Amino acid sequence: MTELELLGPRAHGEPLGQAQLKAVAEDFQVDEVLDIPLAGEGEHLWLWVEKRELNTEEAARRIARAAGVPIKVLSYAGLKDRQALTRQWFSLHLPGKADPDLSAAEGANLRILKSVRHKRKLQRGAHSANGFTLRLTRLEADRAGLESRLKRLAVAGVPNYFGLQRFGHGGGNVVDARAFAERRELPVQRNLRSRLLSSARSYLFNRVLAERIAAGTWDRAQVGDLLAFTDSRSFFAAGEMECSDPRLEALDLHPTGPLWGAGSSPATGAPQALEDSVADAEMALCRWLAEAGLAHERRILRLPIGGLTWHYPEPDVLQLEFVLPAGCFATAVVRELVDLLPAGQTENPCAF
């Protein structure tokens, strides 16, 4: 499957050039933003961990082994990219136990920066946001155009697409999900089942968002829409009064798209018609998600970019710093700026 099939059109115009991302891990840095005051005492040991080119599950296994505890007593808020330099929280449930020696978990690609006791475990999705520092290297683009585009993104946001990494190489996760959906079966392996269900939901959301971009309605409310605040999972119906709410223009309030599950879309009017058309085209996937026991949820269509700043540390390097809500993809920001060179590519394949 192509990028356009998995994502959809850009919202702010054609890419302004090309660049490389993740030439080294330090080019993609992520810091969890966790708004939880830690008590300093309790049964749970919270760890602030820096890892380089290491995925979250492997980091968790290393910490659990070093602590001498089963992996089930360790938790984390979210998964972070492997090919990156990331800092995130983990917690260990250690009732009646002293802090363990975790030095065996540390190494060149994992450091424990801080440890704090707390009365509760770290829950999945507990972090409110992620802070990003990205370095786009080997940049070939019109700088004046980039400056104008970046200023626009800072005030208008970007489409809240699920990134390509959600779908596996060449969209293989979606292909596999369709095969299971046609047979009305679920994978036996829990991890595979979770991955394919998540990919299918993400793909369908992206299809709705792509249609809204094509229609010019991705960043504005329509009567019948379901609206949500940036950091809220709840939503409410939009009538004519709600469509003129000033919080829409301030990027605090947004139209949403469906994360498919049991039941029909609670949207009405034109938004419901659009969502139904996507569901009709992917009937097997929608039925599969509902039969898997997933509930219908919503995700904001527009992604506000917090604290966006940029500078050029070198003539061919653009460094971006910004904050996104948890569960959103930094590559959605980059995609509205430039095309990314394939990994390992060392020469420009075409004149620019």
Side-chain angles (χ1 to χ4, degrees), residues 74-113:
L74 187 145
S75 60
Y76 45 84
L79 299 172
K80 297 291 180 288
D81 288 48
R82 176 188 180 90
Q83 193 179 349
L85 178 65
T86 67
R87 286 166 284 269
Q88 69 177 113
W89 286 98
F90 294 81
S91 78
L92 289 163
H93 189 205
L94 302 171
K97 297 180 181 180
D99 292 0
D101 178 4
L102 299 175
S103 58
E106 298 189 279
N109 60 354
L110 189 151
R111 293 194 303 149
I112 297 173
L113 304 178

Side-chain angles (χ1 to χ4, degrees), residues 232-265:
S232 175
R233 294 185 179 181
S234 62
F235 53 85
F236 59 92
E240 291 186 5
M241 181 179 300
E242 286 78 11
C243 289
S244 59
D245 191 315
R247 292 173 293 185
L248 286 161
E249 188 173 352
L251 271 68
D252 292 330
L253 186 63
H254 315 273
T256 66
L259 295 174
W260 254 276
S264 58
S265 169

Side-chain angles (χ1 to χ4, degrees), residues 82-252:
R82 176 188 180 90
Q83 193 179 349
L85 178 65
T86 67
R87 286 166 284 269
Q88 69 177 113
W89 286 98
F90 294 81
S91 78
L92 289 163
H93 189 205
L94 302 171
K97 297 180 181 180
D99 292 0
D101 178 4
L102 299 175
S103 58
E106 298 189 279
N109 60 354
L110 189 151
R111 293 194 303 149
I112 297 173
L113 304 178
K114 184 191 303 183
S115 61
V116 185
R117 284 278 181 164
H118 193 49
K119 297 177 181 179
R120 297 182 180 179
K121 68 177 285 188
L122 176 60
Q123 300 287 345
R124 290 298 293 268
H127 60 307
S128 60
N130 290 301
F132 293 91
T133 300
L134 306 187
R135 284 168 52 92
L136 297 173
T137 59
R138 296 174 53 224
L139 176 70
E140 295 185 18
D142 171 48
R143 186 174 291 195
L146 283 175
E147 291 290 314
S148 177
R149 181 72 59 85
L150 283 161
K151 290 176 181 177
R152 183 177 177 185
L153 301 189
V155 299
V158 298
N160 194 18
Y161 282 124
F162 286 98
L164 289 176
Q165 56 267 51
R166 176 60 58 94
F167 306 112
H169 180 69
N173 290 346
V174 178
V175 174
D176 292 344
R178 280 203 179 109
F180 277 101
E182 291 292 343
R183 298 194 301 270
R184 301 183 79 162
E185 297 176 355
L186 286 171
V188 175
Q189 293 178 314
R190 181 178 177 180
N191 287 346
L192 178 61
R193 180 169 67 248
S194 176
R195 184 169 72 249
L196 295 190
L197 289 170
S198 177
S199 294
R201 276 183 125 189
S202 302
Y203 171 71
L204 293 170
F205 174 87
N206 279 6
R207 298 272 51 77
V208 170
L209 177 51
E211 293 292 335
R212 294 284 295 249
I213 292 172
T217 62
W218 70 280
D219 59 347
R220 64 197 65 180
Q222 298 177 290
V223 173
D225 256 325
L226 299 166
L227 306 180
F229 291 100
T230 301
D231 298 319
S232 175
R233 294 185 179 181
S234 62
F235 53 85
F236 59 92
E240 291 186 5
M241 181 179 300
E242 286 78 11
C243 289
S244 59
D245 191 315
R247 292 173 293 185
L248 286 161
E249 188 173 352
L251 271 68
D252 292 330

Side-chain angles (χ1 to χ4, degrees), residues 21 27-33 129-136 150 153-154 158 303-310 318-325 328-335 337:
L21 182 61
D27 290 343
F28 196 99
Q29 299 188 38
V30 189
D31 289 82
E32 277 185 350
V33 179
N130 290 301
F132 293 91
T133 300
L134 306 187
R135 284 168 52 92
L136 297 173
L150 283 161
L153 301 189
V158 298
L303 177 57
I305 308 169
L308 177 61
T309 62
W310 61 91
L318 171 61
Q319 181 164 315
L320 307 171
E321 297 183 18
F322 53 88
V323 177
L324 298 180
C328 299
F329 289 75
T331 48
V333 178
V334 175
R335 190 169 183 261
L337 297 172

